[in-house]
Structure formats: C-alpha cells, structure tokens
Amino acid sequence: LMLRGNCPSYRRNTKVQHHLRCKKSYQRDLPRHKDDHPIRTYHEPLSRDDTIFSLASGSIAKSAVAIIRVSGSEAKSAVLALTNRKDLPQERIATLTNLYSPINGEKLDRGMIIWFPGPRSFTGEDVVEFHLHGGRAVIADTLAALGSIPGLSVAKPGEFTRRAFQNQKMDLMEVEGLSDLINADTEAQRRQALRQFEGKTGEKFKEWRKTLLTHLAHVEAVIDFGDDDEIGYEVARGVVPKIQELQESIKFHLEDGRRGEKVRDGISIGIFGSPNVGKSSLINELAQRDVAIVSSRPGTTRDVVEVTVNFAGFPVIFGDTAGIRESEDEIEMEGISRAKKRFFDSDIQLCVLDVNDTGDSAEIYEFLNPKVVAVLNKIDTEDRIKSAEIYRKILERGVLPEKIFKISCKTKAGFQEFLAGIQDLVQKSFETTSQETSLITRARHRQELTSCLESLENFQDMMSMDDILLAAEELRSAIKCLGRISGRVDVDEILGVIFSDFCIGK
Amino acid sequence: MGAKTLLITQKKSTIGVMSCNPSIGGIGKGHLVREIDAMGGIMGKVADQSAIHYRVLNASKGPAVWGPRGQMDRELYRNNMQTLLDQTENLAIKESTVEDLKIEKDAHGKNTITGVITGDHQEITTPRVVLTTGTFLGGVIHIGEKSQAAGRMGDDAVNGLSKTLAQFQFPLGRLRTGTPPRLDGRTIDYKNLEKQESDPNPMHLSFDPPSTPNQHITCHITRTTGESTKIIAANQHRSPKAIFDTLGVPAPRYCISLETKTERYPERTHIVWLEPEGLDTDIVYPNGLSTALPEEVQLEILKTIPGLEAVTMTRPGYSVEYQYVDPTELHATLETKKVAGLYFAGQLNGTTGYEEAAAQGIIAGINAAKSLKDDEPFVLNRAQAFIGVLIDDLVNLGTKEPYRMFTSRSEYRISLRADNADRRLTRMAHEAGAASSQLLRRVESKEAKIQEISEIMKGYRHGTSHWEKLGLFKLSSTGAALTAWDALGKYPINFKDLIPILPELENTSPDIIQQIEIESKYEGYITKQTKEIANFKRDEEIKLPQDIDYNSLKFLSNEERQKLSAGKPSTIGAASRISGITPTSLLALLKYTRGPEIRKERMKRYKTPEEIAMFEASRMLEDAMAQDDESADFVEEKS
C-alpha cells in the first residue's frame, strides 16, 4: 500500500513540533515553496467508475483510532459488503457495527461507520467512513477487504480533495487552505490556513472581481449602448474613482510585508559573520539540537544550513552561513558568495561578532546597518577594552543599541534577553499592518494581484486619454487575474502541484 | 457554390422588404455585415447600393468598436435585392408558404429531411432545407388591445410548420419585438430640430462599394417630453406589454419600447431620430419610438414631441410575437441535431435584427451546400469572426430573449474588427467555395500592399535625436531608436504626416492607410490577443465525439452531465463555454476522449497561465452581461 513513501509532503507532515528541516542551500535558490515553483505534474485521468478508498487518519503507526474513507458510487457496496447489512445505516449518524471481510467472512473489527450520501459529503460523492481500532493489522486487513470489492481502488494522493474541488465543494483557495491546514505546524499557520479554508480569505478576491465586473459593465455599456441610448463617457468616468479605490485597496494588501507568505513558509533569519565567531553554535542553540557542525577551525560551514523552529507560534527558518572572509579556496568562496546572497534575502539579519576580535572581522562591518541585529558572542571571555571598541564601531555603522546583544553560546549568558529580543522582532515583522490575517498566502496570489494592479493602472492611463476601448481591455485582463486566484481558470497548472501536496486520505 | 436552390416565400414582391428600421449595420451589427460581405454575401453590397445616409457609430471610441451604419432607401433596397437575386445563378424563386416538412428515417434510424410540403399541397423533394421563418412562425401582431395573426403588418403568419416542429420535439418558445409608427414627413416641422448629416467620408458596409453613391439625405433629432411620458404612463394598462409580461414573453432588452423606457426611467425624456425612409417617399421612420399602445394614444404621444405637433401617422407602431426554437438544438453548422439536412437561421433561432439573421443565413447556406458534397463543415469560431461568436453563443448557451450582437460579446475585440473582416475571412470563404476568386484576389493584393508599406515603415529606423529634428511630434522618452511604424502607433500623428520623410508612402489607398494606422496603434494588444487566439484555436481544434455518453462519465458532476448531454458540444472549446462546466472537468473530458499520447501532448500545452484563462473569457463576459440589470444605475446617473 502506497502510504508514506509515495507521499511528497510526508516530510513536512511529520515534522514534529520543533524543527527540523535541513536543506542544502542550493535548494534555497529555488522559490521557497514547491507550490510556488511551476513543477509540472500530470495526473492520470480519473477513471470512469472508480470508487476510491484510503486511510484518512494519516499514520500507519499504531493509534487508538484509524479512519478509512471511501468515496464514489460504489461506497454503498463497500458499506453493505463489510457490514453484512442489507440496508444502509442512517445517514450522517455514527453507527456501531461489526465489520467482516468479504474475502473470507472473517470478522475484522468492531467499529463505527458514518454514511454520507452525496452531494452532502466532503467530495460531493457518496462517502463512507470506517472508524476502526488503529492497529496495523486491522487497518491492513480492512484495506485489503475494500480492495477486493469490484470497482474500488486505492486513492491517489490528494484525490479526495481533487474530487471535492471538481464537484465544486471547494474553490482553489479553499483547497490551498486545506492543504496549508493539514501542514500547519504553528498556531499562526493554523489560524491563517483555517481562515482560507473556510473561504474567508477568498471572499475578498471574489468581492473585488465582482466589483470589477460591475465597473466593466459600465464601461462596456458606453461602448455598446453609448450612441443609441445616450450613455456618455461620464458613465465610464464614473468608475474611475471607484477603481482608484480598489487599486488602493489592492496596493494596501500587497504591501503587507509578505506576512501571509511568511506565516505559511516561515520567516527567514540569516546568521552572518566572520569565520569562527560562533554562528554554528548559535544556530544549534536556537534549534536545541546539533544541526551545524561546530569546530574551532575557521571555515567549517561552507553551505547554508537551515533549521525551522516554531518561534513564539510563528515558523522561523534560521539559516547558518559560511563565515565571510577573503579566501582562496574555491568551495569556501562559493559558500561565502551564497552567504552574501542570503544576507539580502533574509527577513531578519543576525550578524555575529567575536566580542574580543577587533581585527579579522573587518569585512563583516560592511554588512552592518540600522536594520541588522548585532550579536556579540563569547562574552564569557570578554576583554572589556576590546569589546568597548567593537561596540563603538558597531554603533558607528548605525546599528541601533536595542539591536545589539551580548551572549555566550558556551555559558548561555545573555541568551534570555537575546531570545526575547528576537521574538519581539519576529512578532513585529508579522505586524506590519493592522489587519488580522493577510490575504496573500502564496507567491501565486501575489503575482496575479500584481498583474491585476498593473492592468488597473493601465486602465487609468487609457481613461485619461479617453481611450475607452483599451481601458475596457485592461479591465478585462484585471478581472481575469482575479479570477485565476480562486481557480476560475488555468486551474490545472497549479492543481497538479497542490493536490500532490496532500497525503492519501485527504 | 453550385447547389441548385429554390427560395420559397409568400410573395416575391416582399423579398428585401425591411420589416422594421430601414437601416443596416450599427454597433456589432456593422461587423456582421462586413463579415458577410467578406465571405461573398450580398447584404453589404445591396446596402451600399441603397444607402442614403451613412454614419459610423462609436466613431470616437476606437476603430475596433466602430459600427458602420447605413440608412436605406426602402424601395431601392428591395429592388436592388430582388434584381440581384434574379441574376443569381442556380436560384429559383417560388411564391408559396411551406406548411410541412417531409422527414424520414435514414438507414441508421436518424430523422432526415427529404422535402417540404407547400400551402398549395405541392410536395417538393430536396435533401437540404434551410428554414428562415423570421417573425412569421406563429406570428401575432398587437396594437393596444387589438391583436391578429400575422408575421408582419399586411403579411400572413405561418402556422402549419409550428405543428411539424413540435411533433419532432423541437422546444418552441415565444419572443416579441416592436416597431414604431411611421410618419408623413410633409407634416413634420423640422425648423427647430437638430440636423444630422451623413458622414462626408462614409465607412461603407461592403468592401467594394458602388462608384456612384446615391444622394444623401439629412436626418433630424428630437426628444420626447414630460407630456409624452405622462400620456404613456396613463395608458400603460392598454399596452400588450402588460400581457406579455404576465405571460413571460421576453422582448429585447436592448431595443426597448417606449412603454418599457417610461416604466424604467419615468423621469427621463428620450431621443428620437427622424429618418426619411427613402428619396422618393415622404414616410419618416421615428427611430426610438417603438410602441404598441392603441393607435389613438400613439398619435397623442407624437403630438407632444417637438416638430411633430401637427404630424400625421401613415401607420401605427405595433408589437409582434413569434415562435422560436431553442438554438441549443443546433450544431455549429446550424443543422438541427434532431433532423439531418434541416437547417435553421435567423429569428427562428432567437435572434433579432437583419444582420444577425443574414449572418446565420450565409453559414447555414454554405453548410447545406457543402454537406451535399460531403465536404467538411464550415464553422467560424469565436476567434475568427463575430459571426462565430454569435453562433457559438446561440448553439451552446441558447437564449432566453431576442439575441443581438454587441462588441462586448467578443473576447478578441481588438482583433476582430469591421475594417479587417476581409483579411480575416475571404480566404477561408474562398476555400469553402463561397467567396469568388475575384474577392480573393482583392484581399491578396491588399495584404501584399499592407506588407510592403509596413516593411518600408519598419525599415525607417532612427534615433530619437533624428525624430526630434523632424519635429513631427513631441517625444515622450529618449533612448531607443524608433521606426516610422512605432512612431505612427505611439504618437498622435497620421499616416500622411510620414509622407514627407517617406515619399514611397505617397499614393497609398485609404483602405490600406486605415489598416496601417489601426494595426500600428493596437500592435501590443493585437500581439497579446494573437497569442490568446492561438491557445483558443487549439481548444477549438479538439473535437469531441458526438456519441459520448456523458451520463456514464463519473468524473462529471450531475449538473455537468445534464448540460453536456443536452448541449453535445462539438469541441472542447465549446464545452468550456457552457456555464457550470469546470476547467477540471474539461481536462478530464479531454483526457477521456484522447489516446494516451495525444493526451499527454495536449496536457503539456495546457499548462501556462494565459492558456486555460481563455476558458474564463467568455464566462466573464456572460457575467458582465448578467450585470446588465444594473444598467438602470448608469442611465439614472446620467439624468
């Protein structure tokens, strides 16, 4: 049975409460989320008669309860065959019953079944759920029993959701929301995903789209009825301020500091510094676990090492980078250039300095600016005079005093203040606007919204030149962009990627 | 096309009679006429021979939505039409009515037409029939409380055919339309009325207008008054509209009657164009005064309108209701799905307007002729022509009210223009045998000339300092070099302004200049649409077998199964335009109908964002049209 191994999101799903996601940095050069990357996944056509089944409760490890879900026209036969009943149980009510194998008549388990006749079900088709005891053998034998029923086959990843989408039980944003909900590791992610899954996030896009359609109707009316029915340009001009308002609104949501994407994908905190100042020790402290190899030899970290942490309810990706210095070593040089690139891609930059080192760290000072957090490590061996000099140099580069922390990775001195400070920064970075949650949770949404805004700006230009025809063309494009967000169009391109993100049973 | 054709009509003398407005063209409709002309149809040609007033509607709104319109001399149009038909090879005309159809089962048990039976009980055997009943099928005309069976004032209705159609389970519905009273021009006082002259350089309806135009007349504009509104409001109950509304017989939402106008916008007055019906007649058509109130009320209303205080009516306005067949019963060739060899065109399919009718007529005719020779069907799609949009809408979406053409119905408005209909369609129509070689040669030489001129212009490429020196226009930015083509497209100059620097451009004919000016201006948008069209065409090329049992396809929702079974779309593109069919289902459908190899190939090509976006386009427009009820807002804002 194709359970864990085939499931592409297995790794993310099983990510335990903290950490861990270590990736090589070349992966980081790709878009941050695989959904954001145009991976081409082609699904086989849904077969004509397939009723699908699979374990819905996710893990094949022992558990108290396991749920197996069946969806399709033959779900009915599955109920009758496994329960030996003549009639279906009462719909949407949990029914306690014995389950038997149709292969040899042997009793499989005593459990509950819930019968959801379509269209009032998750997929919109007839669905039955078997709530079983979660032992491996119970699950395996029940799945085998279902497989023996003609017309039933094992569900492919994401197939239940795909059918729900197809039967218009969910739109694309809701599907994405569900995917995020299943993969949510932190409180903020759960909140945001739930909101999207429930359709609240999508409402805004639909509302905008509807508004634009109304405005388009006004503009089109001038074109098609203007001469005959005396609908003058002023009718089209009447929508100009309304579209202006919409543009402001879209802009406002676009300028959300990428909060939604950060909640979903994690905020990126990069750790930088000269070699051997303790960057790797720091990331290990933050991750509570050895992810980076720590040695006293300078230049140990040659790649970007990442660790994902649930930080005050927010997902944070710490990235440890190669020490920045002059080097002849080709591999080290590559590491350094990646570190520099990462510096600019990070949401928060931590520059680590050796509190006693006044010499070698020269190059790192170039990176200091008012936005950067400076971390002075090794205060257990602090030389007061040297550290005062370093402190002065840091301030000269514009680093704010409240963003300078003195710590010791060895003795943990200063760590509490440091963590509190970082937590504060993380929280602030999610509070760029006053809205409760962000509308934009994926790069895909941002792209569409940005092109929508562009079209609206062109619309204004065309209107100012009184070219009502091209103005209407721009409005049509803008509407298409919004439509694509909730999946009214070109769904399949994204669908393949999204659906493959689901584990079997969802 | 070489097919021997018999035209059966009640009276030969009424061929070419314009039942309503003596004008051809207008917004969206002008596109249709030009497309018909480009394919060898005669409507535009006869219209240009008979026009006595030209005006381009939307002249200020960009060439893609220009609506060339010509007012006809009613008599000239009729005579010219009849003369041209008389000269048409392979065409015979018989005066009679068709009362019944002869339909037999073919070898596969499919109903097939074998002939018609006329009112004088004559059986005429034929393998193909194109039915164009206009407003005559079950027609009833209404004036106030009075009504009588008729297809048009003075002409009998046709009732026998309704029975035949019902017998073969064609779903019949009723629609209505109206026409204004006619006035005696000698009793109109034009003194204080605004004049509307014919355009000095008219945009013709045909690509090959006659060299000697008719004399052009002047039209006048007046308005209804508050007094008119009061009288209409007081007599609303006497209009057949009340009965129609109760019975649910829909009227066009666009060409609305005086009664409806008053009901919807009681505080407004309405524009009236006084259009003479010909050079040798005093009859005037008061465009905008469509009404079916009792005759005496009509006269009372007329007298409240400036200029018409002493007017006499030569004929009252009236309303006509007639039967139509749900056009989703048709293939895109306009052949009926139920009866092979039987084609429907015109108002019978739920449309309104001469141009919409003619557009269907030419398609039905071409297909009837081609199918006799077992040729490929001739179908225009949405990316090729407004005619394609019209027929695609009809056969896939059906219509609940008289369907009229608008530019907003087209997704590719920038590309499908009235001015380039010949470049879009003549070649295709020639291959189908409809357009003559002469037409083809004309468009080919036009293309060659356009090519030549645009190459000259694109070859003239200079830096901004050069253009600054020329001083033709104020440059918006410095930097990249500019060709003469770019300059014409981006800056407010005319083709003629370029002649001093490019003397080769001298002596370019006006129609070529027009093409160059429009295409350089719209270049960016045209390129974008060309891409969209390429994607769209791919959908249109994917044929869906007509024998798919949609009910057996489990990947479709119930609603989709019903809609697809009923609509039997002929291509994936057509399926995509049926409301409620999700893109996902389309893709599944596509995969289902294709072999694995082709399937994979297709799927790959379906992946870019712009692509499936095309599925959306038509639905978006539908939505926009559905918002039409809100049109009440904008008209009110205006007042």
Side-chain angles (χ1 to χ4, degrees), chain B residues 386-397:
Chain B
F386 269 42
I387 297 180
V389 175
L390 167 80
I391 294 177
D392 188 78
D393 279 350
L394 287 176
V395 304
N396 288 305
L397 307 175

Side-chain angles (χ1 to χ4, degrees), chain B residues 122-183:
Chain B
Q122 199 183 341
E123 273 194 34
I124 297 165
T125 306
T126 170
R128 300 287 182 269
V129 171
V130 181
L131 217 53
T132 58
T133 55
T135 59
F136 285 64
L137 191 69
V140 181
I141 64 176
H142 302 262
I143 306 174
E145 294 95 343
K146 285 181 273 185
S147 58
Q148 72 185 84
R152 167 167 68 201
M153 190 69 90
D155 287 306
D156 292 339
V158 173
N159 291 311
L161 267 181
S162 311
K163 251 188 276 165
T164 316
L165 295 178
Q167 187 193 331
F168 283 90
Q169 265 116 39
F170 283 105
L172 291 164
R174 294 191 87 81
L175 293 173
R176 69 184 153 111
T177 186
T179 191
R182 305 297 194 272
L183 313 178

